[in-house]
Amino acid sequence: MSDDTHEPHQLSDGEIKKIRQQVHDDFREYVFNGLPARLIYIPEMKILARDKLLSILRPVIKTITDNELQTVHQESPYPDDLTRGIRNLLGTRIRYAILSHRWFDDGDEPSLQTFSSRAAKTMAGYKKLLKFCEKAQEFGCSLAWADTCCIDKTSSSELDEAIRSMFRWYQNAHICIVYLAESTALSNFDNDTWFTRGWTLQELLSPTRLKFYGTRWVPISGGSNDKEDTAVLDALTRVTTIPEEDLRKFVPGTGNARRILVWASTRRTTRIEDTAYSLLGVFDISMSIAYGEGHRAFYRLMIEVIQVCYEWDLFLFSGPSSLYHRALAESPRSYRPLPPPVAYGSRHRGDEWFSISKRGLEIRLLLFNVLAVPTSANDTPETTGDISISSADESGIFEQMHVKLANPLQPGDFGGIYKWAVGVVDFERLPREGEGRIEEGEDYFAFLSRTRIDYEEWEQLETCDTIYIHSNQDVTGKLTTVWIPPR
């Protein structure tokens, strides 16, 4: 009887030496690519750049044993796996804590330039950093990072790198320490300003280990990782509407993009551009940083998201549209939760091959001609904002409904020069290419559109609320490619 079990290959001294040399090589790469550009060295309370950290951290390599290298080798059948295993091993040795907090409104925070000055030590922000570093040491960290003092904000290139890398820095931290200055218990979360700020969304989602501290640095819970505390997670879901699964282990990307925008819709940033920049890591998107561009930053973000997203519900929003494209929202504030029973990004609904270019948004809709009539008695003789739409024929596919336009029209716009339609966005896709279906008794989202007679391009009209139609019958029809031009 043969024994098919095999003893793990024991590395020779030469093989161990070769792997240890790779550890040395990967160590330098890890410091310059896996760590923030600057870190507080807690034993000396100094901020050190990566080149200075090399000499301080190099002794860490000597603590890695031959047995650990043997284990990493056994678990790495391919060269890339070995590199990844070494990086993970280095991550267990080189630990840093990262701070999530609200800046003091009066700017009483030390910067990189003032951190070592005598004046900085009297600042409330410096005292906050001291408490943060004290907690970091309790988690076994001799390194710490805080956005107030660990970024050279006079350097555009360093600020650019920090914004692009921040999600990853929070993700790679040994522990994220959150200071809630307005909370003493989970019941206070509803009124804590930390949950209303734009940047704190990624600071909540990205870390694998997170610990909340309330007023005077008293722990909110008794555990060491609040992402494993059911009571804390319940409170977080209640306040943020983010499901527990995403709070525990969020995967960045453009999947469920609209749901992420809903999470961000109640949050605010001091700079308009940060509405977009704070979501770069959450969407795993890279784009240039250009403060001063205003709302154009969110427009550029949405263009980047659309390039790699297949979810039509991005175009379902209520509120101001972008100054640069009427089919895109001005900011996350325009997004609200979709009503049940429609699921986000249904795999079998809508056009997943929409695209955007200089010509505009190209998307296929299931169009139904409608009659549009102004209805509001409060409109001026020159403009009308409330209209009634109904089926253009006697089929009665859907009931008459009232719609409020975000931008009132002139009464002459309702004459014979325009053709009106509702375009169902989330039609049921059929096996036959180019056809869609709506089913009796189901609710669907729609755009209100119009085009001049004999024109090809359709204009999407902005409405104050998302339009839903309730289908009174089963209807199958050909899809129409609609171009929604930029402004």
Side-chain angles (χ1 to χ4, degrees), residues 27 214 239 267 293 386 396 414 419 444:
F27 164 74
V239 173
R267 295 171 177 264
E293 65 176 329
D386 291 353
F414 296 90
K419 181 169 62 176
Y444 295 91

Side-chain angles (χ1 to χ4, degrees), residues 326 365 367-372 385 387-390 398 401-406 409 414 419-425 445-451 458-463 465-467 482 484:
R326 67 182 75 252
L365 305 175
L367 286 184
F368 296 97
N369 293 332
V370 298
L371 297 176
I387 64 174
S388 171
I389 57 176
S390 58
F398 57 89
M401 67 186 81
H402 296 277
V403 175
K404 186 173 182 62
L405 300 175
L409 301 176
F414 296 90
K419 181 169 62 176
W420 294 72
V422 289
V424 174
V425 182
F445 300 107
F447 289 156
L448 177 62
S449 305
R450 68 176 185 174
T451 183
W458 288 80
E459 174 189 9
Q460 178 196 356
L461 297 176
E462 300 173 34
T463 56
D465 295 294
T466 305
I467 297 176
V482 174
I484 302 175

Side-chain angles (χ1 to χ4, degrees), residues 289-439:
I289 308 302
Y291 281 105
E293 65 176 329
H295 287 295
R296 186 176 181 83
F298 188 74
Y299 165 73
R300 290 197 299 121
L301 173 68
M302 293 305 294
I303 293 294
E304 293 295 331
V305 169
I306 288 171
Q307 304 304 322
V308 290
C309 181
Y310 300 91
E311 299 167 3
W312 44 262
D313 54 9
L314 275 176
F315 308 111
L316 303 179
F317 59 88
S318 301
S321 61
S322 170
L323 296 173
Y324 307 97
H325 203 298
R326 67 182 75 252
L328 303 179
E330 180 183 73
S331 75
R333 299 184 194 184
S334 295
Y335 288 93
R336 302 170 187 169
L338 297 176
V342 179
Y344 285 95
S346 172
R347 294 177 55 191
H348 305 292
R349 284 190 170 192
D351 180 15
E352 61 181 345
W353 299 113
F354 57 82
S355 62
I356 197 163
S357 65
K358 289 187 293 185
R359 186 178 176 184
L361 173 67
E362 178 186 9
I363 187 169
R364 293 184 303 172
L365 305 175
L366 190 56
L367 286 184
F368 296 97
N369 293 332
V370 298
L371 297 176
V373 180
T375 60
S376 176
N378 297 322
D379 294 329
T380 68
E382 294 78 20
T383 63
T384 181
D386 291 353
I387 64 174
S388 171
I389 57 176
S390 58
S391 298
D393 52 34
E394 297 180 356
S395 61
I397 296 173
F398 57 89
E399 302 294 333
Q400 182 182 38
M401 67 186 81
H402 296 277
V403 175
K404 186 173 182 62
L405 300 175
N407 301 303
L409 301 176
Q410 297 180 0
D413 290 331
F414 296 90
I417 62 173
Y418 285 104
K419 181 169 62 176
W420 294 72
V422 289
V424 174
V425 182
D426 55 330
F427 54 84
E428 306 286 342
R429 293 203 298 269
L430 297 177
R432 294 183 300 277
E433 180 62 26
E435 291 189 354
R437 177 180 177 85
I438 60 174
E439 297 182 350

Side-chain angles (χ1 to χ4, degrees), residues 95 135-141 174-175 209 211 213 224:
R95 298 179 172 183
K135 300 303 178 184
Q137 287 182 307
E138 293 177 8
F139 283 94
C141 299
H174 177 67
I175 183 70
R209 298 184 71 204
K211 182 62 186 172
Y213 290 88
S224 60

